[in-house]
Amino acid sequence: MRKGIAVSPGVAVGRAYCIHEIFLSPEGEGLAEEDVRGELARYEEAVEKTALDLEALHHKVATQVGKEEAKIFLAHASILHDPNFTSKVREFIVGEKQSAPAALHHVLGEYTSLFARTKDEYLKERLADVRDVIIRLSGHLTDVLQPGAEDIEGPLILIVEELLPSQVVMLGDLQVAGIVTQTGGQTSHAAILARSRGIPAVSGVPNILKHVTNGDLVVVDGREGHVLVNPAAEVESAYRKLQREFVDLKDKLAENRDVPAESSCGQALELMANVNNLQDARAAVAMGATGIGLFRTEYLFLTHPDVPDEEEQLAAYRDIIAAMPDGRVTIRTLDLGGDKTIPYLGHSREANPFMGWRSIRLSFEHPEFFATQIRAVLRAAAPEKGCRKQVRLMFPMITTLDEMRRVRSMVRRARGDLAAQGKPYGDVDIGLMLEVPAAAISIECLLKVVDFVSIGSNDLVQYLMAADRDNPKVSHLCQPLSPPVLRVLTDVIAACHRAGKSVTLCGEMAGGPRAFVLLFGMGLRSFSMSPAFIPTIKELARRLSAPRAEAALHRALQFSTTGQVKRFMSRQLEEIAPNLRMLDTA
Ligand code: PEP
Ligand code: MG
């Protein structure tokens, strides 16, 4: 048995599908002599298509973002046509009689070991560029997934280094039952994506790709963080039974979609969803979400072939608003950097990406780009006949009052521009995501300039604990149930109530049953979570009263260790809703 971090609850049993490098399938048969020439031609064709992609990207980014930012694509084009690079690929195809993707894989390997020896940061970054070019080239040469997924029977367990957002989109219709990643933690984006689809997942399992091959039978226990490879028959059948229970429970809970969200003492709750795209929004409605509490707009950019312009953004935002029965959608502006980057924003390697040039900080550096997004949101909020709308605009990672003031003045300017252009726009509430401890400490002062607050506990916890949420070596410290985190949350929620401002929590902890009880005890009534958790939390809420939750919180705040809080809350949960145990993570 291998141990990792339990990131998405439930149990799955299936056949391993290993993605070493999503873009390559290097273990080819080798080419027959007469096919070599054809393979070279195929490579040339891929080069031409890639060159066209890069040209289009350069043009679009130059006009929409800036000439400086677009330069990266010129650099990529010169790698693509670099004689040394090209001859390495061609020589491998001809000399080794291997396919073009295999040649690219080989050349990437050569460059990687070459660059590994250099201490020069600039050169190291060039490796990322070579890699990017190779990914684009490979996209024109192969199906995105390695052939073979269709040969593996039954539900798949994906085994990957780290699941990138763009890969998730490419997985398309594959029947994925479980996910195991080598890196990442509780709140890494792979984990969030797995949770949003209700797929059991375990992250941070060291070297798992070395120990599993395609077609192996794998068990993913997303409650305990265990992964079993080719277990004994009786172990397998015990887990299959658990898997059936998990699926049955989920199906049963999903039936409560039209039941009102309220506590056993009749307090109304707002259970909203975190989504990345329209598909998620539809899933959220199916799960009974009353709105979208967090639309992570960066996925629109990450999965777009180039840059979504104002009209494209407007269409995407409108679609999501229209998908929600009351048009209740909170749109978060771009939150890139950290673990999510796009090349045209000129992101460079940083020693501490999560403490560096990310999120709102990056948006401020690209004011035109940022203003385009704000305009698109304001336009999407414009009143339309027969379409209810309650659109809120939310800014991530706000640290200081000055930043919030700057944001507000950008929104004012965007309104002025739209009015001058005669384009209709709507009224939106403006809010901040509370993710930085400094903002939590100065919340009273920030509350004066916002209409609402949404607590981004994923980041808030990592910054409070000074532990990178994606680094499995330290992510065990990122515990939302730790006493310091609970204290900060209690204070922030109380401050919002005193100021009469709306407060929501949209971090992953909102969907954790034990955490939910405590947040409810803090007086929080608005939550946004992965859609898959809404039925569970609704069921829990219906068994919970405010006095019981307050008493649990009161006791929990007296503990001094996370272990004590967790054990106490597990016992509480056992009493309040024993049937939900399976849907909590360790
Ligand atoms: C958070 O930080 O809690 C959050 C919801 O934002 P993200 O996970 O996208 O950083
Ligand atoms: Mg965040």
Side-chain angles (χ1 to χ4, degrees):
M1 186 184 70
R2 293 175 188 279
K3 196 146 172 43
I5 304 162
V7 295
S8 181
V11 170
V13 183
R15 296 280 166 189
Y17 178 47
C18 306
I19 306 183
H20 293 266
E21 292 281 11
I22 189 118
F23 55 93
L24 292 176
S25 51
E27 294 141 34
E29 291 279 287
L31 300 170
E33 185 63 50
E34 62 272 25
D35 294 334
V36 168
R37 194 195 277 256
E39 192 64 8
L40 286 173
R42 215 163 72 81
Y43 177 66
E44 287 313 319
E45 205 180 303
V47 170
E48 274 167 33
K49 287 183 182 157
T50 306
L52 288 176
D53 289 351
L54 291 171
E55 228 178 273
L57 271 167
H58 177 261
H59 175 73
K60 196 153 187 187
V61 172
T63 47
Q64 289 179 19
V65 188
K67 287 204 173 66
E68 251 335 280
E69 287 80 1
K71 276 191 183 153
I72 182 80
F73 299 108
L74 295 180
H76 285 192
S78 61
I79 294 172
L80 180 72
H81 298 298
D82 179 72
N84 196 15
F85 176 80
T86 308
S87 64
K88 276 180 194 293
V89 178
R90 294 177 63 92
E91 274 164 24
F92 197 79
I93 298 175
V94 176
E96 304 296 323
K97 299 208 176 31
Q98 287 290 333
S99 67
L104 286 170
H105 184 74
H106 171 80
V107 171
L108 180 61
E110 266 189 22
Y111 278 101
T112 308
S113 35
L114 191 73
F115 283 103
R117 289 196 287 273
T118 173
K119 290 209 164 27
D120 184 328
E121 280 303 317
Y122 175 80
L123 271 185
K124 281 204 156 110
E125 268 174 42
R126 298 290 68 78
L127 177 62
D129 294 329
V130 173
R131 208 180 143 80
D132 215 87
V133 171
I134 288 184
I135 290 176
R136 264 182 220 289
L137 268 167
S138 302
H140 287 297
L141 284 162
T142 49
D143 292 337
V144 177
L145 287 176
Q146 301 161 61
E150 60 285 355
D151 299 338
I152 303 172
E153 282 229 346
L156 300 177
I157 306 291
L158 276 190
I159 317 271
V160 282
E161 168 67 25
E162 163 70 319
L163 200 57
L164 305 173
S166 51
Q167 292 171 334
V168 173
V169 176
M170 291 163 186
L171 292 174
D173 298 332
L174 284 185
Q175 200 198 341
V176 177
I179 298 176
V180 181
T181 66
Q182 285 197 162
T183 57
Q186 259 298 337
T187 56
S188 69
H189 284 267
I192 292 173
L193 288 162
R195 266 199 291 266
S196 71
R197 285 167 173 64
I199 299 174
V202 176
S203 279
V205 188
N207 297 322
I208 185 76
L209 276 164
K210 287 208 181 103
H211 295 98
V212 183
T213 44
N214 274 356
D216 279 349
L217 187 92
V218 176
V219 171
V220 179
D221 183 343
R223 308 157 312 155
E224 302 291 339
H226 295 161
V227 177
L228 292 86
V229 183
N230 295 324
E234 57 276 22
V235 177
E236 179 193 336
S237 92
Y239 274 104
R240 283 200 188 275
K241 186 164 171 282
L242 281 174
Q243 182 179 24
R244 276 195 300 278
E245 279 175 29
F246 169 63
V247 173
D248 290 348
L249 178 60
K250 272 204 320 187
D251 288 350
K252 191 165 164 297
L253 290 177
E255 288 167 11
N256 71 11
R257 57 155 288 178
D258 296 322
V259 171
E262 58 182 27
S263 63
S264 68
C265 54
Q267 301 237 355
L269 285 172
E270 186 164 39
L271 300 185
M272 297 183 289
N274 297 348
V275 304
N276 302 326
N277 53 35
L278 186 59
Q279 190 192 2
D280 290 354
R282 293 199 175 120
V285 176
M287 291 289 178
T290 48
I292 302 295
L294 169 63
F295 173 25
R296 291 185 165 99
T297 57
E298 51 279 6
Y299 287 85
L300 184 65
F301 292 74
L302 287 164
T303 56
H304 194 277
D306 42 70
V307 198
D309 60 22
E310 188 173 320
E311 300 303 319
E312 282 173 289
Q313 290 188 49
L314 171 64
Y317 304 151
R318 268 197 184 137
D319 285 349
I320 299 242
I321 295 166
M324 301 313 292
D326 285 325
R328 191 165 171 67
V329 179
T330 302
I331 301 177
R332 172 175 81 181
T333 60
L334 259 186
D335 186 8
L336 288 168
D339 61 343
K340 295 166 282 181
T341 55
I342 39 181
Y344 51 79
L345 290 183
H347 215 270
S348 59
R349 190 185 288 262
E350 288 182 86
N352 293 303
F354 274 111
M355 304 244 264
W357 197 48
R358 66 167 290 212
S359 199
I360 194 78
R361 303 167 184 184
L362 199 144
S363 298
F364 281 144
E365 291 279 318
H366 297 278
E368 235 336 282
F369 189 72
F370 191 25
T372 304
Q373 182 172 35
I374 295 175
R375 281 195 304 274
V377 174
L378 294 176
R379 288 176 65 193
E384 277 177 81
K385 255 217 172 99
C387 178
R388 262 175 71 81
K389 290 186 184 179
Q390 303 168 69
V391 180
R392 309 200 300 178
L393 179 56
M394 173 160 89
F395 296 90
M397 219 188 154
I398 294 291
T399 308
T400 65
L401 180 63
D402 285 341
E403 283 176 346
M404 204 54 225
R405 286 189 173 140
R406 187 167 168 191
V407 154
R408 290 213 80 122
S409 89
M410 288 188 76
V411 175
R412 266 196 306 276
R413 205 166 320 129
R415 283 193 188 116
D417 290 348
L418 290 173
Q421 292 165 7
K423 291 183 176 151
Y425 62 90
D427 241 355
V428 297
D429 277 352
I430 308 280
L432 65 80
M433 272 187 91
L434 191 107
E435 306 186 277
V436 180
I441 292 166
S442 45
I443 186 70
E444 309 262 358
C445 150
L446 284 163
L447 279 166
K448 297 196 175 104
V449 294
V450 295
D451 302 314
F452 70 93
V453 168
S454 188
I455 303 171
S457 54
N458 304 340
D459 276 317
L460 182 61
V461 171
Q462 81 163 338
Y463 293 131
L464 277 173
M465 306 310 278
D468 180 346
R469 63 196 247 192
D470 281 345
N471 179 346
K473 291 213 169 63
V474 296
S475 57
H476 61 275
L477 289 164
C478 292
Q479 298 282 353
L481 296 185
S482 67
V485 171
L486 295 179
R487 280 181 206 128
V488 171
L489 292 174
T490 307
D491 290 350
V492 165
I493 292 167
C496 294
H497 286 160
R498 279 198 303 277
K501 294 281 161 87
S502 145
V503 53
T504 303
L505 186 138
C506 64
E508 289 302 305
M509 72 184 286
R514 290 175 298 186
F516 171 80
V517 173
L518 292 172
L519 293 166
F520 188 67
M522 292 173 200
L524 194 68
R525 296 292 178 265
S526 173
F527 302 80
S528 190
M529 61 196 75
S530 297
F533 285 87
I534 291 174
T536 310
I537 296 300
K538 200 188 268 185
E539 163 79 8
L540 175 56
R542 297 180 69 79
R543 291 162 178 257
L544 182 65
S545 69
R548 166 126 212 188
E550 283 157 16
L553 174 71
H554 182 74
R555 182 80 189 98
L557 286 173
Q558 290 165 354
F559 293 121
S560 19
T561 70
T562 309
Q564 289 169 328
V565 177
K566 281 184 157 184
R567 282 190 294 279
F568 170 70
M569 287 313 298
S570 293
R571 286 196 300 276
Q572 289 285 308
L573 193 63
E574 193 72 51
E575 287 172 24
I576 300 167
N579 58 332
L580 299 182
R581 207 181 23 202
M582 172 152 238
L583 296 175
D584 206 2
T585 46

